[in-house]
Amino acid sequence: MKRAGTLRLVSDLSNFSGAARLRELLAGDPTVRVRYSSDGRHLLLLRPLGAPSPQLLVAVRGPGEELERAWPAGHPSPLDAFFLPWPVRPALILVWESGLAEFWGPGVGPGWRLLQSTELCPGGGARVVAVAAPRGRLVWCEERQAEAEGHLESPTASLNHCVCVRSLELSGEAGANLGRRHILLRHCPPFGLLASRKDLFLVPTATTWPGAVHILLIWSPGKGKVMVAAPCLGLSYSKSLNPERGDTWDFRTLLRGLPGLLSPGQPLTVHTWAPTPQGLLLLDFKGTVSLMQSHGGTRAVGTLQEAPIGPAGSAALGTFHGTLACVLGSTLELLDMSSGQLLERKVLSTDRVHLLEPPAPGMRNEEELEMRRGLRLLSALGLFQIGWEAPQGLELPSAEDLVFEEACKYYQRRSLRGAQLTPDELRHNSTFRAPQALASILQGHMAPSTLLTTLRGELRDYRGLEQLKAQLVAGDDEEVGWTELAEQEVTRLLRTELMGDQLAQLNTVFQALPTAAWGAVLRVLQLQPDGNGRLRSQAPPDVWKKVLGSTAAEKEPPNGILPLFELLCHCLCRLEPRWLPPFVELAQQQGGPGWGGGGPGPPLYRRALAVLGEEGTRPEALELELLLGSGRPKAVLQAVGQLVQKEQWERVLEAGLALGPSSPLLQSEIFKLLLAEFAQHRQLDAHLPLLCRLCPPDLAPVELLLLLRSHLPDELEAPTPFPEPGAEPPLTVGLLRTLLEQTGAQRQPLGPVLSLYEDILHDPGTPPPTPPRGPMTTLQALDHPGSEAWAPSGQGLCVTDTV
């Protein structure tokens, strides 16, 4: 059965603030740039540089005031503008060519106010030519004027740009927290920047160096990699590019190290670029549409019946449910992305149409569920939605049916009888009153109450989930749909009692779609990195209590089904192993008595170690991090012992110092362990300052010397002034002095010296004065008892001065 495309009017723009100005700009300027907020309530229109005022308009649907700004002649207008997520309503960032960035947010009332201004290019001498705002970051391409002036005669004079990034985090009233500036790419040509949900595309422009017009780059921040691709040559290479590790690339060095990329290639004759969740769409001047994916591969999607009319012709591309939508002038064409077949062609009443980006995933409201069924088009005539009509015969379950079906499963799990419950039985049996009361509320037979208000969100999620399942069954089985389905299912299951079927179903979802499942967990637990390699969470204690539910000690889960905590650890090991130790540390901080963190059963670090496998087969780095972060003395000492065996002295010292004053006994044990190594070899001499910092404050010098004496190696031969060639140098007093001064400074005596060794620590450093010399008399042996033992036989020891 052939599907029919529908174009439905959603709004005539009258419910937007500043509707008259909005229609005027959409109808009068074909080059206006349009952006859509993630909540679907804000429209941003930005006119290009040099356009008449107003250059910026932000319209709000529903309650709220528009933001309209104009810059007089001679004052540049913003280069680009973006919406940023905000708890109440989106914030706005404006970026100028000079590098100035302004953050606008909601004011006390319904209006807007300037929150913060900052300079992206401190020191001047740079010009921003392109900017993008992928999730949690601000990326821009800037031209270095100083470098350009110094290389005017160079054949690669256009390689005077660089691509920079700064982390971006909104912080309430303070505006935004921008991280330090990091250069991703140096000495590169000017690139255009296009951001999708996961990737950033660096595409060539009209002013790009001729030797690189056939090359584009795809940076995936989540993977810490960059793909360098040349579609015309069929080449793509992957390189590491992670700002957190300090990665940076010189564009010239990068190309020289990738064979074949500098071969002469045809420039990319692209009329329109369009980032989508599937990748980057490319429309050339022949009407052919191609899709470049994040791994660098390119495939043809289809060919339009009409080609763009020159570079100035308007074109817009978008995707929804496996369908490519292309607006070319006043023509709308729908193509199947799998086969390239033309599905439908419509003639529009205007040639100034903008395709809007779909809303960000994670917003569960009725409008977003409606928007995900199609793609939205904006023109001066209104806001429209293009989508597919549901096939005939596909009936979606009603809210009442969903109530009885879910109640049937709920009661069946708790029933002791063998007979199977049915929805019809629940409808007519007076024993089960709760589902009947809820169904009557939904049918309108009972006035809305607190119960309906409480359950409205959950029922809406159920209905949206069933609608999405029905659409996927009907044939819209694209990756985005399955990802959204997994996210919704995980979010729903985390709100239930995770036992039996629910836990088994959650395990199945994590096995099939781990990335989407973990994304849902991130939102539920509200996990965020704090910039120091740790995680923080704002989830309520009830959520963590469910995550850390204790299991039977030392028992395998039935049928291979992992409890929720083990399931999350296993998923992290597959996706991002480096975040497993911070996650376990955060879980240990959240755990309460009887939650599996501090109650009966194995501690959390042991449960995480069990996920890694048997002892001896686990990744050593992860095992060490889990043991050190456990806070358990035996586990920490086990990790320290392993590090000592590997002679990683600095790591051991840092682990001991990180314990802080809250664990003095454990610190003392680590110090004694290192002191034993210090007595036996000289590998710790370079780390003596850290060893002194680790020294317990209550340790006396005599105790220190006694500890060292017990660990000194046995001397099989008489000591010599200098060690043999190749032999280990012995421990000397000079090396001990720093440690003895450390202990002496902490226990400096106020009265007389009580220890045999403490007096050397308080030596004034100046020898006593020399007595005056004068004539000496002959010393007789009888004047000194025992002189025979040292005086020559038959002689006295005469000491005279020669005058």
Side-chain angles (χ1 to χ4, degrees), residues 156-167:
T156 60
S158 61
L159 299 181
N160 58 350
H161 294 69
C162 66
V163 179
C164 308
V165 61
R166 294 179 71 174
S167 60

Side-chain angles (χ1 to χ4, degrees), residues 121 257 351 373 431 524 531 536 600 638 640 676 690 693 725 732-733:
C121 310
D351 59 350
R373 300 175 191 170
T431 304
V524 173
R536 63 173 182 263
Q638 178 184 348
V640 168
L690 293 179
R693 289 176 56 192
T732 64
V733 176

Side-chain angles (χ1 to χ4, degrees), residues 139-203:
V139 186
W140 69 94
C141 179
E142 65 179 45
E143 180 184 8
R144 301 290 187 88
Q145 299 293 342
E147 295 184 8
E149 295 173 2
H151 298 80
L152 289 178
E153 299 180 359
S154 172
T156 60
S158 61
L159 299 181
N160 58 350
H161 294 69
C162 66
V163 179
C164 308
V165 61
R166 294 179 71 174
S167 60
L168 178 62
E169 180 182 356
L170 294 180
S171 58
E173 296 295 330
N177 292 328
L178 282 172
R180 65 180 184 87
R181 177 173 173 267
H182 181 83
I183 299 179
L184 296 176
L185 209 59
R186 303 174 184 269
H187 302 116
C188 64
F191 280 115
L193 304 179
L194 301 170
S196 66
R197 293 175 186 169
K198 297 181 180 179
D199 304 310
L200 178 72
F201 300 92
L202 286 73
V203 300

Side-chain angles (χ1 to χ4, degrees), residues 289-619:
V289 180
S290 303
L291 175 66
M292 169 160 281
Q293 297 170 318
S294 59
H295 52 68
T298 305
R299 70 175 182 89
V301 176
T303 303
L304 305 178
Q305 290 191 346
E306 295 183 7
I309 306 176
S314 63
L317 302 172
T319 61
F320 69 98
H321 297 311
T323 304
L324 168 68
C326 179
V327 177
L328 199 61
S330 60
T331 304
L332 170 65
E333 295 189 22
L334 303 179
L335 280 73
D336 188 294
M337 293 192 65
S338 300
S339 62
Q341 179 184 1
L342 178 65
L343 301 177
E344 194 159 348
R345 186 170 183 268
K346 295 178 179 292
V347 177
L348 307 177
S349 58
T350 178
D351 59 350
R352 296 178 182 178
V353 180
H354 303 271
L355 288 179
L356 302 182
E357 300 176 359
M363 301 176 56
R364 299 293 177 254
N365 51 48
E366 292 181 357
E367 178 171 356
E368 190 219 352
L369 293 175
E370 183 71 20
M371 291 172 62
R372 287 191 174 277
R373 300 175 191 170
L375 201 63
R376 296 213 163 178
L377 291 78
L378 178 67
S379 71
L381 301 177
L383 183 63
F384 297 84
Q385 177 165 302
I386 177 69
W388 298 111
E389 290 183 351
Q392 295 182 0
L394 179 63
E395 296 182 359
L396 298 176
S398 63
E400 295 81 6
D401 294 336
L402 291 175
V403 168
F404 285 107
E405 288 177 5
E406 293 298 325
C408 184
K409 297 177 184 177
Y410 178 84
Y411 289 124
Q412 186 66 46
R413 287 194 300 266
R414 287 155 178 77
S415 177
L416 297 178
R417 65 173 186 170
Q420 185 74 22
L421 283 173
T422 63
D424 290 337
E425 184 176 356
L426 291 182
R427 289 177 185 271
H428 303 95
N429 193 336
S430 59
T431 304
F432 306 100
R433 296 183 179 181
Q436 294 178 359
L438 181 56
S440 63
I441 291 175
L442 297 177
Q443 291 171 356
H445 297 165
M446 187 183 297
S449 63
T450 306
L451 179 60
L452 177 59
T453 304
T454 305
L455 297 180
R456 179 178 293 148
E458 186 172 353
L459 291 173
R460 188 165 54 237
D461 289 350
Y462 275 123
R463 186 172 182 84
L465 183 62
E466 294 300 325
Q467 289 176 348
L468 182 58
K469 289 178 180 178
Q471 291 175 0
L472 291 175
V473 171
D476 295 328
D477 53 346
E478 57 178 327
E479 182 181 356
V480 176
W482 289 113
T483 300
E484 182 184 356
L485 178 61
E487 292 179 355
Q488 291 192 30
E489 191 71 1
V490 170
T491 304
R492 183 186 70 84
L493 289 171
L494 290 177
R495 291 199 297 263
T496 65
E497 297 180 9
L498 284 175
M499 299 177 64
D501 294 342
Q502 291 93 340
L503 188 58
Q505 187 174 356
L506 191 63
N507 276 254
T508 303
V509 175
F510 268 88
Q511 292 174 5
L513 296 167
T515 303
W518 178 252
V521 172
L522 282 178
R523 286 193 296 274
V524 173
L525 296 181
Q526 303 179 40
L527 296 178
Q528 292 181 348
D530 62 357
N532 297 322
R534 300 181 181 273
L535 292 174
R536 63 173 182 263
S537 170
Q538 298 179 353
D542 291 343
V543 177
W544 278 104
K545 184 176 182 181
K546 186 178 299 184
V547 171
L548 306 180
S550 59
T551 58
E554 307 298 334
K555 288 186 179 180
E556 288 290 330
N559 301 325
I561 298 175
L562 295 176
L564 181 54
F565 177 74
E566 281 78 359
L567 186 62
L568 298 183
C569 292
H570 184 266
C571 182
L572 269 178
C573 288
R574 294 175 59 186
L575 300 178
E576 291 289 344
R578 64 188 180 92
W579 285 111
L580 178 60
F583 175 73
V584 176
E585 289 186 35
L586 176 64
Q588 290 170 163
Q589 299 170 9
Q590 302 290 335
W595 291 11
L604 292 180
Y605 82 94
R606 286 189 186 175
R607 294 171 62 180
L609 286 174
V611 174
L612 296 179
E614 298 293 335
E615 188 172 356
T617 62
R618 304 164 182 161

